[in-house]
Amino acid sequence: MPAVLITGAQWGDEGKGRATDLLGSRVDYVVKFNGGNNAGHTVVIGDEKYALHLLPSGILTPGVTPIIANGVVVDLAVLKQELDALNERGVDTSKLKVSANAHVITAYHRTLDKVTERFLGKRQIGTTGRGIGPAYADKINRVGIRIQDIFDESILRQKVEAALEFKNQVLVKIYNRRAIGVDEVVEELLSFRELLEPMVCDTGLMLHEAIRDDKTVLFEAGQATMLDIDHGTYPFVTSSNATAGGASTGSGLPPHRIDRVIAVIKAYTTRVGAGPFPTELFDEMGEQLARVGHEYGTTTGRLRRCGWYDAPMARYAARINGVTDFVLTKLDVLSGIETIPVCVAYDVNGVRHDEMPVNQTDFHHAKPIYQEFPGWTEDISGARRFEDLPKNAQDYILALEKMSGSRMSAIGVGPEREQVVVRHDLLD
């Protein structure tokens, strides 16, 4: 049975939770391998809407074992809040497993994230302020706190003391903030020991045994390709690897075990926060896409920047991730638009670029070169087969498929679970 990865092909918010949910009943494990509670997923099941920030969206599917793997940074208060909220709504969360090697977001990480971003002023990156970046920085600097440390109070205290010895100097002397006490951090972390005890295990071993036993494993990336720390629009990126390669380091499952890579991509483009965005719209059409598409961040509530579909970006995502299938979402948002432009290349200082420029400065100054496609006026929310779609919508999808580097295997035509057109089996 396969191991399948789902990631975003743009700057996030493409609807990865929806794609995960689409496969949920056919998989045995759903694994979150990167990021923290900065990446939100919205899943609609019937009349119920679930907004998840830290938990894998597979937790909503009965029978699935959801895993928070070692590559994730975990805010334990958020973990408890999300579990409590789901339990109150009757969702069974008892199968959740958390890696002992996952790193913990502490109070000082959140504080440093917020004050540092404010200190940057006009150079702000657009962080969510939830402590994700500082937690990853501590991980790389080898001064981080891991889930397993919570079960050894002596080790935990030593690590917090070592971290705060330097960080309090920064908070007090540079940012004019109060020092954070060791006791308050230790006590807060220890308060989650009882919650964590039944969940914590060697998740890498669990996944290895799952593949050995012919179980199907689904990897669910937080964030997306263009926010990847190595392959995204640096420095306006997240602090982890959201691309296919991150699934191996973030989970402990070797690369050759991943059989399929599904990239979720909107029928237009959005991004949250600062950074270059060649196809961004600053007119009424941009406002229309945001309004009709309900383009507000699941985690932050921030209005998303909106623009047209970017084919060179899609090809880049296909290449970086080894995409086998695209899932195209929010096609219904384009209904009623007379002419739909698609970016097919960039103009950088008079030079045409058919692929994404390797130089960040060039990408920042890139102007989109558009090809226009006729739109459609029909309501497509009831379409379940490709043939049910208007001819112009079919032509639009086929054109994107040809430009984007892989097949468009599923198309979202509305926000609800069943509002999808499936052209190819995502597990075949």
Side-chain angles (χ1 to χ4, degrees):
M1 297 297 288
V4 181
L5 179 136
I6 291 179
T7 189
Q10 296 159 321
W11 280 291
D13 308 306
E14 300 93 347
K16 295 181 294 295
R18 168 75 178 279
T20 303
D21 184 62
L22 185 65
L23 294 173
S25 60
R26 301 174 62 192
V27 302
D28 302 293
Y29 294 79
V30 174
V31 184
K32 182 167 183 175
F33 63 86
N34 77 299
N37 56 305
N38 55 340
H41 297 313
T42 300
V43 179
V44 179
I45 303 176
D47 296 330
E48 296 288 325
K49 180 183 286 188
Y50 299 88
L52 304 175
H53 309 278
L54 177 62
L55 293 170
S57 55
I59 200 165
L60 298 173
T61 304
V64 168
T65 299
I67 291 176
I68 295 176
N70 60 275
V72 179
V73 288
V74 182
D75 186 319
L76 296 173
V78 172
L79 178 65
K80 185 177 187 306
Q81 289 167 8
E82 290 198 7
L83 289 172
D84 287 347
L86 290 180
N87 289 331
E88 288 175 6
R89 296 175 69 175
V91 176
D92 180 13
T93 63
S94 63
K95 298 187 75 171
L96 176 67
K97 297 299 178 185
V98 179
S99 171
N101 290 337
H103 279 244
V104 175
I105 298 171
T106 68
Y108 52 80
H109 291 132
R110 292 189 293 270
T111 299
L112 282 167
D113 200 358
K114 292 172 183 174
V115 298
T116 302
E117 184 77 349
R118 282 197 291 268
F119 185 78
L120 288 173
K122 293 181 180 179
R123 301 187 305 277
Q124 287 186 6
I125 293 169
T127 172
T128 59
R130 284 162 168 76
I132 283 85
Y136 274 116
D138 276 5
K139 176 179 179 177
I140 298 304
N141 286 327
R142 293 161 293 183
V143 293
I145 293 171
R146 299 192 292 177
I147 292 286
Q148 59 183 277
D149 297 330
I150 293 171
F151 298 95
D152 187 327
E153 185 174 349
S154 175
I155 291 292
L156 177 63
R157 183 170 291 277
Q158 289 176 42
K159 289 192 172 186
V160 172
E161 286 175 348
L164 286 178
E165 186 174 356
F166 172 73
K167 288 178 171 57
N168 274 334
Q169 297 289 323
V170 174
L171 285 171
V172 173
K173 295 182 179 179
I174 296 179
Y175 296 120
N176 196 30
R177 292 299 185 106
R178 74 170 183 86
I180 296 175
V182 172
D183 288 343
E184 64 182 280
V185 175
V186 171
E187 288 172 11
E188 180 188 8
L189 295 177
L190 288 176
S191 70
F192 296 104
R193 181 187 288 182
E194 186 177 346
L195 171 73
L196 290 169
E197 199 155 10
M199 304 175 189
V200 176
C201 67
D202 184 343
T203 54
L205 176 61
M206 175 179 281
L207 291 172
H208 173 81
E209 292 174 343
I211 295 295
R212 180 198 63 193
D213 295 338
D214 288 331
K215 304 295 185 182
T216 301
V217 177
L218 181 64
F219 290 95
E220 178 186 89
Q223 306 289 356
T225 300
M226 300 309 298
L227 292 173
D228 184 277
I229 185 68
D230 288 298
H231 303 292
T233 49
Y234 190 91
F236 303 100
V237 292
T238 193
S239 302
S240 61
N241 290 112
T243 41
S248 291
T249 54
S251 70
L253 199 69
H256 73 280
R257 291 294 193 180
I258 299 173
D259 303 281
R260 306 203 66 76
V261 177
I262 300 166
V264 185
I265 193 164
K266 279 179 183 169
Y268 51 100
T269 309
T270 64
R271 91 171 289 176
V272 169
F277 184 175
T279 68
E280 184 173 9
L281 296 169
F282 300 95
D283 55 12
E284 292 180 2
M285 183 55 68
E287 294 175 2
Q288 178 179 323
L289 291 175
R291 183 179 67 255
V292 178
H294 304 288
E295 295 297 350
Y296 298 89
T298 304
T299 295
T300 64
R302 289 185 292 184
L303 181 67
R304 297 174 186 140
R305 300 156 64 189
C306 294
W308 298 119
Y309 188 90
D310 189 323
M313 184 188 299
R315 288 196 296 275
Y316 178 78
R319 185 170 73 249
I320 292 295
N321 291 290
V323 172
T324 57
D325 303 85
F326 280 108
V327 172
L328 186 73
T329 59
K330 294 199 172 184
L331 184 67
D332 53 300
V333 175
L334 300 183
S335 294
I337 298 175
E338 184 176 353
T339 302
I340 304 171
V342 171
C343 174
V344 296
Y346 309 112
D347 181 312
V348 182
N349 299 322
V351 178
R352 180 185 173 109
H353 290 248
D354 290 306
E355 303 296 338
M356 286 191 61
V358 66
N359 188 309
Q360 179 74 12
T361 300
D362 286 346
F363 188 65
H364 182 78
H365 292 99
K367 304 296 183 184
I369 298 173
Y370 287 119
Q371 180 178 343
E372 295 187 339
F373 294 86
W376 58 92
T377 58
E378 297 91 334
D379 178 4
I380 65 172
S381 61
R384 297 296 176 267
R385 300 177 305 151
F386 188 68
E387 296 76 18
D388 297 336
L389 294 169
K391 179 66 165 53
N392 285 353
Q394 293 182 32
D395 290 344
Y396 180 74
I397 293 164
L398 294 175
L400 297 190
E401 181 174 72
K402 186 176 181 180
M403 296 176 189
S404 300
S406 192
R407 63 187 188 178
M408 295 284 174
S409 293
I411 299 100
V413 293
E416 296 187 11
R417 174 183 261 180
E418 70 276 6
Q419 290 181 307
V420 63
V421 172
V422 178
R423 297 179 65 212
H424 306 286
D425 188 342
L426 294 175
L427 294 183
D428 185 8

